[in-house]
Amino acid sequence: MSELTELTAVQLVDGYRKGEFSPVDATRAALRRAEEIQPAVNAFVRLDADAALARAGESTDRWRRGEPTGLLDGVPVCVKDVLLLRGGPTLRGSRTTDPQGRWDEDAPSVARLREHGAVFLGKTTTPEFGWKGVTDSPLSGVTRNPYDVSRTAGGSSGGSAAAVALGAGPLALGTDGGGSVRIPAACCGIFGLKPTYGRVPLYPASAFGTLAHVGPMTRDAADAALMMDVISGPDARDWSALGPVHGSFVEALEGGVRGLRVAYSASLGGQVAVRPAVAAAVRRAVQRLAELGAYVVEADPDFTDPVDAFHVLWLGGAARVTQRLGPRQRELLDPGLREVSGEGARLSALDYLAAVDVRMDLGRRTGRFHESYDVLVTPTLPIPAFEAGVEVPKGSGHRHWTGWTPFTYPFNMTQQPAASVPVGTDPDGLPVGLQIVAARHRDDLVLRTAHALYEAGAAGVAPPGLAGS
């Protein structure tokens, strides 16, 4: 039943309800697919077939009785290996993490998925502690792009993106502290949502503080909305989590974009050089929004690149996450992480507070911008996926991954919801992503706009042509 790997979570649940196939069928197909793709793309740190099939069997029994336990009962899910999944170690891409331990606790998003009957296939790859916008680490090696294995899958949730793109489960959890859901979603041709900060509870707290979000990585916006209805459930372990959701994200998908005020910023006011093929694909999708009835205006948000302030916050987090490591452990780190954590350790409290000032002013500016516009649309990335195994494209002149991700990290600083939607490919067949951003707490608008593009056939790309796919 290899065709089961092509179905969305919504379609799987519908098939379970109608008795067309079972969670065991879907899980076996997803596990088989994961094993097939692993040698080529290296998406997984660990697969746990026995545990997955046991949960799938329990789910199959519930569906046969007509008693599913939740919205995602029996749906295969992958979990990025920075989020706790009880029963096995969470190594965070690092050789400094001791795999021996109790590992008896779920992260909040994982706990909500478990309560709704989801089937966990295993853990997906991440760079060490999720520190950069590509996915490679001394622990698990390089994760590659499903559309061209010589290219990067993006990061830091690259394993989750590659798994979803290739049919190893329709749903995955990612984390995003500067673009780490949206970057790999754009590179791998899937949908990725960074919710409003605190909308999905996070525990343990990230060393990168309030930049870090947890979000769904899926085939389309409808699956992401369904997943958000689950993982947005409250959890007392996150003191910064938002209150209960009012209404359903799935129900909020309907209504289209007619009358929606859309600001289209092709280059953030000329601050970003965007590859022509990327710009053309994004513009076509924006034109489709106008055809669907949205009021589209070319308008740039009122800010200059906040990269220096972001670096203070990000490098400080890198220093914090490695602070307790001794000299021998530090030698085991990714050399790039070792370098940036050293930079972060030299920052002062005044440096940090100055960066917070920039962040607060940025939030004020974007808040005012969204008084005039419901959503902002930009490219997700200015370039398609580049060669795997490097932090920045060769010859780019960039020092850090932030040099080629200028559209993503500003909206971690402002904590706004933002999603990447696949809207085409470049001449080399590499996916192009469009980013949709809304005001804080308006995740529903991001999802509704993305869903309208999917419904109109303006979103989504052909599946990867990887051997065996």
Side-chain angles (χ1 to χ4, degrees):
M1 292 190 177
S2 59
E3 69 275 7
L4 290 178
T5 62
E6 301 172 7
L7 300 182
T8 66
V10 170
Q11 291 168 331
L12 285 177
V13 170
D14 186 55
Y16 300 159
R17 184 177 297 110
K18 294 175 180 176
E20 295 173 349
F21 43 78
S22 74
V24 168
D25 296 329
T27 300
R28 283 177 176 158
L31 286 168
R32 184 164 54 248
R33 191 76 183 103
E35 292 170 353
E36 289 171 355
I37 68 171
Q38 181 64 8
V41 299
N42 187 34
F44 290 91
V45 176
R46 185 178 73 254
L47 286 168
D48 194 342
D50 290 343
L53 288 170
R55 283 187 61 82
E58 294 167 357
S59 175
T60 296
D61 290 342
R62 289 192 294 270
W63 279 106
R64 284 173 178 163
R65 296 194 305 268
E67 299 173 354
T69 194
L71 297 177
L72 293 172
D73 202 347
V75 177
V77 179
C78 301
V79 178
K80 183 181 180 181
D81 197 34
V82 297
L83 297 168
L84 295 175
L85 173 63
R86 75 176 190 233
T90 297
L91 300 177
R92 300 179 174 89
S94 183
R95 294 184 292 176
T96 69
T97 304
D98 184 359
Q100 303 301 317
R102 295 176 61 181
W103 303 112
D104 58 357
E105 194 170 19
D106 285 330
S109 51
V110 175
R112 302 294 85 75
L113 288 167
R114 191 182 297 277
E115 291 164 3
H116 280 257
V119 173
F120 302 109
L121 300 178
K123 305 298 285 290
T124 56
T125 53
T126 175
E128 198 160 18
F129 301 114
W131 79 273
K132 58 184 176 181
V134 294
T135 302
D136 60 70
S137 74
L139 178 70
S140 55
V142 177
T143 298
R144 299 179 179 276
N145 193 294
Y147 287 83
D148 180 347
V149 294
S150 72
R151 311 289 185 113
T152 181
S156 62
S157 307
S160 287
V164 170
L166 287 165
L171 306 178
L173 284 172
T175 60
D176 190 317
S180 288
V181 161
R182 291 159 290 154
I183 294 167
C187 287
C188 295
I190 68 165
F191 182 81
L193 172 68
K194 177 187 76 69
T196 299
Y197 178 80
R199 183 71 282 153
V200 178
L202 175 61
Y203 171 85
S206 171
F208 299 101
T210 57
L211 295 173
H213 305 228
V214 179
M217 305 182 74
T218 61
R219 302 271 176 77
D220 59 24
D223 268 12
L226 178 61
M227 200 171 175
M228 282 293 291
D229 278 345
V230 172
I231 64 177
S232 295
D235 195 290
R237 293 172 292 177
D238 184 354
W239 66 271
S240 65
L242 298 176
V245 178
H246 299 290
S248 162
F249 289 108
V250 169
E251 293 174 0
L253 291 175
E254 302 307 321
V257 295
R258 183 167 298 281
L260 208 66
R261 301 168 300 169
V262 176
Y264 168 45
S265 178
S267 60
L268 294 181
Q271 296 182 77
V272 184
V274 179
R275 192 75 58 84
V278 172
V282 171
R283 183 173 287 276
R284 285 193 297 271
V286 170
Q287 290 172 342
R288 191 71 182 105
L289 287 173
E291 293 165 0
L292 293 170
Y295 295 114
V296 177
V297 177
E298 293 198 25
D300 301 307
D302 176 30
F303 63 78
T304 55
D305 188 352
V307 67
D308 292 335
F310 178 80
H311 279 163
V312 170
L313 301 171
W314 190 258
L315 298 179
R320 178 62 176 164
V321 80
T322 59
Q323 182 179 23
R324 294 183 177 85
L325 301 180
R328 289 186 179 180
Q329 286 181 305
R330 294 186 71 83
E331 287 301 312
L332 299 175
L333 292 174
D334 179 332
L337 175 58
R338 191 163 57 241
E339 176 187 349
V340 299
S341 64
E343 293 179 36
R346 293 189 288 273
L347 296 169
S348 70
L350 290 178
D351 294 327
Y352 175 82
L353 291 173
V356 170
D357 285 343
V358 172
R359 184 180 192 181
M360 289 191 291
D361 183 63
L362 185 65
R364 176 187 66 82
R365 291 171 182 270
T366 57
R368 293 298 298 271
F369 183 81
H370 283 287
E371 290 181 334
S372 300
Y373 302 103
D374 297 306
V375 296
L376 167 68
V377 173
T378 75
T380 306
L381 298 172
I383 57 174
F386 52 88
E387 58 268 38
V390 295
E391 182 185 349
V392 301
K394 292 177 181 176
S396 67
H398 300 311
R399 185 179 173 207
H400 294 306
W401 60 271
T402 45
W404 54 273
T405 62
F407 292 108
T408 59
Y409 56 77
F411 304 108
N412 292 81
M413 297 179 74
T414 62
Q415 302 187 337
Q416 293 170 251
S420 182
V421 184
V423 291
T425 56
D426 76 350
D428 294 324
L430 296 167
V432 172
L434 170 148
Q435 181 175 232
I436 302 170
V437 185
R440 291 176 73 243
H441 312 296
R442 292 313 308 268
D443 307 68
D444 60 319
L445 281 180
V446 173
L447 288 163
R448 176 154 62 95
T449 305
H451 184 62
L453 286 172
Y454 278 101
E455 289 287 281
V461 292
L466 190 70
S469 64

